[in-house]
Amino acid sequence: MQIKPILFYNTLSKETETFKSLKEGEVRLYSCGPTVYDRGHIGNMRSYILSDIIRRTFEYNGYEVHQVINITDVGHLTGDNEGDADTGEDRMEKASVSLGESAQDIAKKYTTLFFTDIRRLNIDTEKIEFPRATEYINEQIAMVQTLQDIGYAYKVSDGVYYDTSMFKNYGKLGGINVDELEAGARVKVRKEKRNATDFALWKFSSPDQHRQQEWESPWGVGFPGWHIECSAMSRALLGRQIDIHTGGIDHIPVHHNNEIAQSEVVNKKKFVNYWLHNAFINVEGRRMGKSIGNLINLDQVIDRGFSPLSYRYWLLTAHYRTPANFTWDALEGSHAALKKLHRYFVDELNVTLGTVDSKYKEQFHAFINSDLDTPKAIALVWELMKDDSVSKKDKRATLLDFDTVLGLGLNESDESMVKLLHGGGQKLSVSDIPTNVKAIMDEREQAREQKDFRKADALREQLHVHGYEIEDTAVGPRLSKRKE
Ligand code: AMP
Ligand code: ZN
């Protein structure tokens, strides 16, 4: 097969570049994974679908892929994402207090749910390595030690910090204006920090607060900062230099610039050749957030009668760099489309396998190699379905070939994923929930958010009168028809 160029938009150069791997025929791919203090939502899933499409595209092009997604089970502070790495509580410890379970149990529970979610989206977890931050403490300490030895890290009263003024071009990813970052952070600058953008590499346990997760280190008992885990784990599993690093755009200014600053100094190499970032998913026109109360996870998708694959399909109809607005109506449309595709495949293309149509394959290949243009690839699927000049058996072969990249379950042996598409085993579809019942349900959720449990109970009674049961599960409310 003739090698075709693969083009990616690289956040580092802000240009579309032709991909060239570090090692011929192999790709090293690292993606920032979940912090397992809570259930992942459908926005997070876009990040994992991005790395999945990257892996499948490379496999389609004949590459071997070494893929890592880290699991953050310590050290991610509530202030970290705002570039305020020395403030806030550890998310794991905070969740432990509010849920009354150990940090370890919480990590276990949400890691399992994370695997469940991504498998439902047809991501093959067997092909990916999932290192936990708590399993790489020694590697993280060693990296911090090196940074200190060469003068890039300094110790203050609450931890060890990276001196960002030492790193030439700090903030180069995404063209971050460090002066602006500094100005924005000034009010919160700790007196002991040399620069506002300096960030914690190692934090000391506070003497007046018991921590469940802490380790001995050359500087004192404590825990690693959030950014160092990605530098240490990608180095341990993929080497000192990698081809591709992915994540959501929110990670560009702070987390990924900090990873670069750490890794390039310790590894003495350019850390990553291609940085790919996905734009955000909003819900009904609003940013998704716990405080807004509009987080949606895959259980809710299933409870409303949709297959997770319909969500995958919906995601692929938008380019990963385009912000997308999720609505239940849009998902309903994707669900109907995917169901139609499956029906067509099962009913109309129930023939022996022919050969892949070279003209269509050529186009498909060009689309996915062009910065993962899945919307065009999906449009091509529909064009092929309607094209009577291609025989049914060749259509079957061609669609199956496309699906090795799209992952829409056409050849799926896991029936549970596809079952929902065919209408089997489902409780309530969104169109089955009367508007007034849905309104009560939403009002009750709001009451629960505001901890007005008396009102929430009264609304539960109302639902009962309408003939519905509501069950509050760890992953949100679940509505079903009341059994008489
Ligand atoms: P977190 O657990 O918050 O670190 O997020 C895990 C991944 O999901 C990261 O790559 C984030 O950038 C990404 N992410 C978070 N929220 C969204 C969203 N609403 N849409 C798309 N990606 C998101
Ligand atoms: Zn990371």
Side-chain angles (χ1 to χ4, degrees):
M1 188 171 72
Q2 190 205 342
I3 295 180
K4 293 198 186 322
I6 305 177
L7 305 178
F8 288 126
Y9 177 84
N10 189 348
T11 312
L12 192 59
S13 63
K14 294 188 176 161
E15 277 173 18
T16 302
E17 298 175 21
T18 303
F19 177 80
K20 190 170 178 330
S21 64
L22 288 161
K23 197 164 170 204
E24 207 184 317
E26 287 183 32
V27 177
R28 283 156 236 253
L29 167 63
Y30 185 97
S31 306
C32 291
T35 304
V36 284
Y37 71 112
D38 202 354
R39 182 73 187 268
H41 54 68
I42 56 170
N44 303 134
M45 297 302 135
R46 190 180 213 189
S47 288
Y48 313 123
I49 292 287
L50 168 62
S51 57
D52 183 57
I53 290 289
I54 294 173
R55 116 164 262 120
R56 287 166 178 267
T57 296
F58 276 113
E59 286 173 347
Y60 197 76
N61 282 276
Y63 285 80
E64 189 187 336
V65 184
H66 307 284
Q67 188 180 2
V68 171
I69 299 179
N70 66 302
I71 306 278
T72 303
D73 55 358
V74 69
H76 193 171
L77 306 188
T78 49
D80 272 337
N81 287 19
E82 287 79 50
D84 218 4
D86 54 343
T87 64
E89 293 171 77
D90 185 315
R91 289 168 199 237
M92 298 303 303
E93 300 269 343
K94 191 177 171 202
S96 170
V97 173
S98 64
L99 296 175
E101 295 169 46
S102 74
Q104 213 177 9
D105 284 349
I106 290 169
K108 225 185 206 166
K109 176 165 84 185
Y110 290 117
T111 303
T112 305
L113 276 171
F114 166 68
F115 290 144
T116 305
D117 279 344
I118 62 172
R119 282 187 195 120
R120 283 163 158 177
L121 291 168
N122 214 359
I123 294 173
D124 188 349
T125 50
E126 295 298 309
K127 291 182 166 178
I128 307 168
E129 282 196 82
F130 296 97
R132 273 84 163 158
T134 52
E135 291 168 352
Y136 286 81
I137 297 296
N138 290 341
E139 287 79 355
Q140 294 176 74
I141 290 176
M143 220 166 186
V144 179
Q145 184 68 66
T146 306
L147 287 168
Q148 193 185 32
D149 291 346
I150 54 177
Y152 279 71
Y154 58 95
K155 185 179 158 182
V156 297
S157 58
D158 75 343
V160 179
Y161 283 78
Y162 188 106
D163 184 347
T164 50
S165 67
M166 293 285 291
F167 186 68
K168 203 166 151 252
N169 293 332
Y170 177 76
K172 64 184 168 188
L173 186 71
I176 303 309
N177 183 333
V178 176
D179 291 340
E180 257 174 37
L181 253 190
E182 294 229 10
R186 191 142 293 152
V187 267
K188 296 175 187 160
V189 178
R190 291 181 49 81
K191 280 206 190 77
E192 295 173 276
K193 263 168 64 165
R194 293 179 187 166
N195 314 284
T197 44
D198 291 358
F199 56 91
L201 295 162
W202 186 264
K203 290 271 290 183
F204 301 137
S205 299
S206 155
D208 41 46
Q209 197 188 10
H210 170 72
R211 277 188 63 91
Q212 296 169 45
Q213 307 191 97
E214 56 183 13
W215 295 265
E216 294 282 349
S217 83
W219 314 279
V221 174
F223 57 98
W226 175 41
H227 317 291
I228 195 76
E229 74 174 82
C230 289
S231 287
M233 296 196 289
S234 65
R235 178 184 158 111
L237 294 167
L238 297 172
R240 292 190 294 159
Q241 204 172 16
I242 62 176
D243 294 291
I244 300 182
H245 195 312
T246 73
I249 45 164
D250 56 325
H251 285 343
I252 299 172
V254 179
H255 183 50
H256 288 166
N257 271 302
N258 290 353
E259 282 186 33
I260 291 174
Q262 295 164 154
S263 294
E264 299 202 343
V265 169
V266 176
N267 299 349
K268 299 192 179 73
K269 278 188 182 276
K270 183 180 181 187
F271 176 37
V272 173
N273 278 340
Y274 304 87
W275 285 92
L276 273 65
H277 292 97
N278 63 276
F280 261 41
I281 300 292
N282 285 333
V283 166
E284 311 278 356
R286 300 179 74 189
R287 199 193 153 103
M288 235 186 294
K290 210 172 190 171
S291 51
I292 304 171
N294 64 350
L295 294 183
I296 296 172
N297 62 45
L298 281 185
D299 275 358
Q300 283 151 291
V301 166
I302 294 171
D303 281 352
R304 292 201 184 208
F306 303 114
S307 162
L309 289 182
S310 304
Y311 181 63
R312 182 180 174 106
Y313 180 96
W314 178 77
L315 279 178
L316 297 184
T317 56
H319 190 263
Y320 74 91
R321 283 194 289 114
T322 308
N325 183 34
F326 176 88
T327 65
W328 288 106
D329 282 347
L331 185 63
E332 187 128 37
S334 290
H335 186 70
L338 186 58
K339 202 158 139 179
K340 192 168 165 192
L341 175 62
H342 271 254
R343 281 259 151 81
Y344 177 79
F345 192 79
V346 171
D347 299 341
E348 297 287 322
L349 301 185
N350 190 11
V351 290
T352 51
L353 208 57
T355 51
V356 176
D357 183 280
S358 57
K359 189 183 88 203
Y360 274 97
K361 186 179 172 85
E362 185 87 7
Q363 285 187 58
F364 180 82
H365 205 154
F367 289 150
I368 52 153
N369 277 16
S370 173
D371 197 24
L372 315 167
D373 199 339
T374 56
K376 284 206 179 122
I378 289 204
L380 189 69
V381 165
W382 291 95
E383 200 182 310
L384 169 64
M385 272 170 68
K386 289 184 200 130
D387 188 344
D388 291 335
S389 73
V390 182
S391 71
K392 284 191 172 177
K393 53 190 185 41
D394 288 358
K395 266 190 196 175
R396 185 178 176 86
T398 311
L399 281 177
L400 283 176
D401 179 70
F402 292 1
D403 206 40
T404 58
V405 178
L406 300 174
L408 298 172
L410 286 185
N411 196 21
E412 207 40 72
S413 50
D414 180 358
E415 282 182 27
S416 61
M417 278 204 290
V418 178
K419 205 164 72 182
L420 286 174
L421 278 171
H422 297 281
Q426 196 27 243
K427 302 152 210 162
L428 287 167
S429 113
V430 69
S431 51
D432 291 334
I433 305 176
T435 324
N436 59 336
V437 172
K438 172 82 181 49
I440 300 173
M441 219 178 134
D442 290 348
E443 202 183 333
R444 183 171 171 276
E445 267 313 282
Q446 243 175 34
R448 275 164 40 81
E449 277 283 315
Q450 291 157 4
K451 302 212 170 1
D452 187 351
F453 297 113
R454 189 190 289 244
K455 185 171 175 192
D457 282 348
L459 291 164
R460 176 199 289 277
E461 280 305 311
Q462 272 194 41
L463 285 171
H464 202 79
V465 171
H466 282 85
Y468 292 88
E469 297 280 12
I470 194 153
E471 188 195 345
D472 296 311
T473 70
V475 290
R478 204 169 268 177
L479 192 73
S480 57
K481 276 256 167 63
R482 185 156 62 89
K483 293 178 202 76
E484 294 308 325

